[in-house]
Amino acid sequence: MGKTVIEKIIEHNTGKEVKPGDIVTVNVDRVMIHDIFIPFVAEKFREMGFGKLWDPDKVVLIYDHLVPASQLDDTRHFHTGDAFAEKYGMTHVHSCLLYTSDAADDK
């Protein structure tokens, strides 16, 4: 039987032949953090004493699950995520938030 697409991708990435059931370490192109998980991720980074990301350019934070925030407690995800991104020098923070200004209310 031929290789699956995933097996081919992993083999290309690692330079090693793989088969179902193998445990392999791959080189990742990007890591994504969702807004729902950022408080947990930030807490674990603090607990483990991580001072930096291996490559801030390869980490993406996406705000999309809690947009717009349905309750006040949901806003902690945005505050935690923004602080995490700033602390670790992340440049890829994406949101589907719609920002408005008070000036729009003056019409």
Side-chain angles (χ1 to χ4, degrees), residues 6-102:
I6 299 301
E7 289 168 334
K8 291 176 184 178
I9 291 170
I10 292 172
E11 286 182 357
H12 179 75
N13 182 279
T14 63
K16 300 175 183 175
E17 186 174 334
V18 297
K19 63 185 182 318
D22 286 351
I23 297 175
V24 297
T25 301
V26 298
N27 300 306
V28 297
D29 298 319
R30 292 254 187 239
V31 174
M32 184 191 69
I33 307 169
H34 272 291
D35 50 359
I36 290 176
F37 294 113
I38 191 62
F40 174 77
V41 171
E43 179 184 332
K44 292 302 171 190
F45 265 64
R46 276 191 300 277
E47 285 178 10
M48 296 176 160
F50 293 151
K52 66 177 187 162
L53 296 171
W54 91 101
D55 186 346
D57 194 48
K58 291 186 176 185
V59 182
V60 180
L61 172 58
I62 299 176
Y63 296 118
D64 66 339
H65 286 86
L66 299 171
V67 178
S70 62
Q71 56 187 358
L72 188 58
D73 186 52
D74 289 346
T75 62
R76 73 184 167 95
H77 296 260
F78 304 117
H79 299 298
T80 302
D82 290 346
F84 185 88
E86 184 175 337
K87 178 177 181 175
Y88 292 101
M90 293 174 55
T91 57
H92 300 288
V93 179
H94 305 284
S95 175
C96 51
L97 285 173
L98 298 175
Y99 293 99
T100 61
S101 70
D102 293 335

